[in-house]
Amino acid sequence: MNPPTHLTLAEAGAIVVAALAAARADGLPPVAVAVLDAAGHPVAVQREDGATPLRVDIAIGKAYAAAGMGVASRVLHQRAQDNPVFFNALAASSQGKFIPQAGAVAIRRADGTLVGAVGASGGTGAQDEAICAAGVNAAGLVAA
């Protein structure tokens, strides 16, 4: 049987659980993790006790950017520095949902199919990206 072409709820839940476990193992402050499908719609979102209120919105924005462009938000952050006018236009055209800041990865199947993205907020951009990648890998998918 072929794998589904979409991100399943079970996969999104597994990503969140593993990402939060990675955050605890790394001793990060309380975080939020958001998993979106390839169209940018939330599939699973969790905010740890003590995470500040904007953490969810930031995690969603990072994941939205990664899903929309199909690459890690770290890559988008660099591209935004090189082409700020274009990235300001992307943020405006997405009603502010597009946040090109390190801390999210695209989610792909083994065959390369983009099925979504996961973003986190609470640590540094590199820490957030690392827990996202850990969650994706634990779910048997590919972090890109």
Side-chain angles (χ1 to χ4, degrees), residues 11-124:
E11 290 168 329
I15 291 168
V16 168
V17 168
L20 292 175
R24 291 306 99 240
D26 291 345
L28 299 185
V31 301
V33 176
V35 180
L36 310 184
D37 65 16
H41 300 290
V43 179
V45 179
Q46 288 287 311
R47 183 181 66 85
E48 289 185 306
D49 294 342
T52 58
L54 287 176
R55 294 293 171 212
V56 168
D57 294 327
I58 294 167
I60 289 171
K62 290 177 183 183
Y64 189 85
M69 300 297 272
V71 297
S73 60
R74 165 185 38 83
V75 173
L76 299 176
H77 178 71
Q78 181 57 52
R79 289 181 186 170
Q81 290 177 341
D82 296 340
N83 195 354
V85 173
F86 177 66
F87 279 83
N88 285 336
L90 286 173
S93 68
S94 69
Q95 293 78 46
K97 293 187 284 188
F98 186 97
I99 300 177
Q101 174 61 44
V105 296
I107 304 167
R108 294 186 180 275
R109 296 229 173 269
D111 68 1
T113 302
L114 178 70
V115 293
V118 55
S121 180
T124 67

